[in-house]
Amino acid sequence: MEERPETELISIPATPRASTPEILTPSGQRSPRPASKEAKSSSAWTPTSFISPRFLSPIGTPMKRVLMNMKGYLEEVGHLTKLNPQDAWLPITESRNGNAHYAAFHNLNAGVGFQALVLPVAFAFLGWSWGILSLTIAYCWQLYTLWILVQLHEAVPGKRYNRYVELAQAAFGERLGLWLALFPTVYLSAGTATALILIGGETMKLFFQIVCGPLCSSNPLTTVEWYLVFTSLCIVLSQLPNLNSIAGLSLIGAITAITYSTMVWVLSVSQQRPSTISYEPLSLPSFSASVFSVMNALGIVAFAFRGHNLAMEIQATMPSTFKHPAHVPMWKGAKVAYFFIALCLFPVAIGGFWAYGNLMPSGGILNALYGFHSHDIPRGLLALTFLLVVFNCLSSFQIYSMPVFDSFEASYTNRTNRPCSIWVRSGFRVFYGFISFFIGVALPFLSSLAGLLGGLTLPVTFAYPCFMWVLIKKPSKYSFNWYFNWILGWLGIAFSLAFSIGGVWSMVNSGLKLKFFKPPN
């Protein structure tokens, strides 16, 4: 009886991990290679090119069918994300080696900053009950919308929404999404940069006065000149090429924010309170003035929770695969960051209002600390607090300016079809820094600017994510999820209009909003 040969086992080579060919970008980071002229032909490289007829020719027909079906399935469900070649040239997506630690650093740096220092100003108009209630509601609301943005980053199989504007266009349509999202996100970045120049320059001036003391020269720098010094430092640091490259700066910003936030409220509550302190909400001459001031105060509370315009950009710096999607490390980092954000914002707001009541100056708790207790607190400790604020402002300027840098370079690469050279990139950043400086000199209204910024950019944080969830995820009509997100979204739009009106009123009537504090002689 003839012996049957043993069945040959077909050995299929292990599939290598799909990776895009790489080039060296202007910053030295390796990123996906843009499509060349040859690649535009029918033989262009794709993530499933290894499952091709040439590769499958030695394999039996049944196995070939299995692999071809697997290829179609992978492409259909989008396990293999298609990359935009232009992303390899832009600062947000140039490097994709981020992780949960980077996400925590960036979110914390973006979420805690000078806006925490003016929260007690809002409490001076709202009082204890409404101040704490509004701050708590805003915190829970923005945490929910942040979760929405993290989940929507890869909501469509095979597509990553790397920028907030891209997600808005996917939800609202190309033209409407651009109009709805571009202005508030750019305005939030530019407005925050302007406010950072104001608070950073003023804090550097106070730091110099404390350190120098009576030995200062007879011709010290003016406030505007300190703005210029701070802007120059920001421009030097802005030469770092991409979002991942400033992770170290974000870590410094996060540490300094937590440290000075804690020091400011601890130093304030440890000192004796002013004898004329009162916790009654400030009363203004007319009912309309009181209403507008309350709206401006709520806008300041809303502005305290900025940073959602950067959520998509931060998540875009992370690698993402089917087994390890980017939303997992992003949400881990965000949860840690917002835990520390709560530990910073609530004590500063509550402790600052307890220490100064409605005597809080318009510049916030830092100005109050210097004005009331500059002679009671050791100079070294006071100088250290102000120095930490300066470091945090320098770090925050970088992360909030990155989307604007990305927009500049995207316009350039779209027109020229090539990456920005080092000189072009540097020129964009120098131009942006000095434009922010000139705006800051023209509009030196910190607390009023915070209220207006909070009103105009409120939809980015509180309204648009709810609408995007309904339009992209499409929950069952008339379900709780459907009603809940529609109601939150429209409430956010209504609050945005009211807070914006309050912010404009406060800027026009800056003499009515608060008593400006004059430090003792």
Side-chain angles (χ1 to χ4, degrees), residues 203-241:
T203 308
M204 288 183 74
K205 181 181 178 180
L206 293 175
F207 172 76
F208 180 76
Q209 291 175 353
I210 294 172
V211 173
C212 187
L215 303 177
C216 291
S217 62
S218 57
N219 296 315
L221 294 179
T222 64
T223 303
V224 174
E225 289 171 338
W226 280 113
Y227 292 163
L228 184 59
V229 172
F230 182 83
T231 303
S232 301
L233 293 175
C234 289
I235 291 174
V236 171
L237 292 176
S238 69
Q239 302 308 312
L240 292 171

Side-chain angles (χ1 to χ4, degrees), residues 170-397:
F172 303 116
E174 291 288 332
R175 182 172 298 181
L176 181 60
L178 185 65
W179 280 102
L180 289 177
L182 185 61
F183 171 74
T185 53
V186 172
Y187 183 77
L188 183 57
S189 295
T192 301
T194 300
L196 286 168
I197 289 175
L198 295 179
I199 191 67
E202 292 171 357
T203 308
M204 288 183 74
K205 181 181 178 180
L206 293 175
F207 172 76
F208 180 76
Q209 291 175 353
I210 294 172
V211 173
C212 187
L215 303 177
C216 291
S217 62
S218 57
N219 296 315
L221 294 179
T222 64
T223 303
V224 174
E225 289 171 338
W226 280 113
Y227 292 163
L228 184 59
V229 172
F230 182 83
T231 303
S232 301
L233 293 175
C234 289
I235 291 174
V236 171
L237 292 176
S238 69
Q239 302 308 312
L240 292 171
N242 54 58
L243 190 54
N244 267 338
S245 67
I246 66 170
L249 281 179
S250 291
L251 174 60
I252 293 173
I255 294 174
T256 53
I258 295 172
T259 305
Y260 82 69
S261 297
T262 305
M263 289 179 65
V264 163
W265 73 263
V266 168
L267 289 175
S268 295
V269 301
S270 63
Q271 301 298 318
Q272 186 175 1
R273 289 180 289 177
S275 58
T276 58
I277 192 172
S278 173
Y279 299 111
E280 291 296 323
L282 284 173
S283 58
L284 295 178
S286 64
F287 175 76
S288 60
S290 299
V291 171
F292 285 132
S293 296
V294 169
M295 291 297 102
N296 181 58
L298 291 173
I300 294 175
V301 173
F303 185 56
F305 298 105
R306 59 194 172 96
H308 283 46
N309 62 311
L310 299 170
M312 312 303 293
E313 285 80 354
I314 294 172
Q315 196 167 344
T317 63
M318 301 178 184
S320 184
T321 63
F322 176 60
K323 290 186 177 180
H324 304 285
H327 70 83
V328 176
M330 175 65 183
W331 185 237
K332 286 182 180 178
K335 286 188 293 185
V336 173
Y338 277 86
F339 171 76
F340 285 104
I341 288 172
L343 292 183
C344 292
L345 297 187
F346 282 87
V348 167
I350 296 172
F353 187 57
W354 182 88
Y356 307 108
N358 57 17
L359 297 176
M360 179 68 60
S362 62
I365 188 174
L366 199 61
N367 285 13
L369 182 66
Y370 179 77
F372 285 104
H373 305 300
S374 58
H375 301 298
D376 304 326
I377 299 175
R379 284 175 53 192
L381 198 57
L382 203 58
L384 176 61
T385 304
F386 288 165
L387 185 62
L388 292 174
V389 174
V390 173
F391 285 160
N392 175 256
C393 290
L394 288 171
S395 303
S396 297
F397 184 93

Side-chain angles (χ1 to χ4, degrees), residues 1 14 37 42 91 111 125-126 163 237 318 381 401 495 521:
M1 186 171 177
K37 292 182 179 178
S42 59
F125 289 105
L126 299 174
R163 295 159 185 86
L237 292 176
M318 301 178 184
L381 198 57
S401 299
F495 287 150
N521 294 326

